[in-house]
Amino acid sequence: MTYVVGEPCVKCKFTDCVKACPVDAFHEGVNTLVINPVTCIDCGACLPVCPTAAIVAGTDNPSGWDIAEWKEYNAFYATKWPVIDESKEPMEGAEDLKTAPGKLRDFDPNPFAG
Ligand code: F3S
């Protein structure tokens, strides 16, 4: 089992997950985070702290977005994006976009450059 960040994270990046992670498994894109499946120790500390419920384990996903697709995104972008090891302020408008549908179309594949 591995943990996966999915669509609800897009345009939010609350980063509470980063604070909870003991092994720096999160990587940062322009408007989304992903979990590195190689670094992740499957502790589950990140799952309950995400305000958007963007993190899921295994195939258990009550929110409906495509977990298989996001599993691939996590594995792929973890090799492209820098590690984020400190939490930060959420993105502007994150509170209003927590449960917004269809955020996949806004997913930015570029690495966060600071
Ligand atoms: Fe994203 Fe949730 Fe972390 S919104 S940055 S997965 S706390």
Side-chain angles (χ1 to χ4, degrees), residues 4-64:
V4 171
V5 174
E7 184 171 319
C9 182
V10 176
K11 295 173 83 177
C12 285
K13 291 206 301 191
F14 278 91
T15 73
D16 300 72
C17 54
V18 173
K19 213 182 318 177
C21 180
V23 293
D24 296 343
F26 286 88
H27 293 249
E28 185 175 17
V30 171
N31 65 7
T32 313
L33 262 54
V34 293
I35 293 173
N36 187 332
V38 177
T39 313
C40 177
I41 57 170
D42 298 339
C43 70
C46 59
L47 194 148
V49 301
C50 174
T52 70
I55 300 171
V56 299
T59 55
D60 180 20
N61 178 20
S63 315

Side-chain angles (χ1 to χ4, degrees), residues 82-102:
V83 167
I84 172 171
D85 57 6
E86 284 185 1
S87 57
K88 52 160 76 167
E89 288 297 309
M91 295 185 76
E92 199 178 329
E95 276 299 326
D96 296 331
L97 291 169
K98 271 186 192 174
T99 56

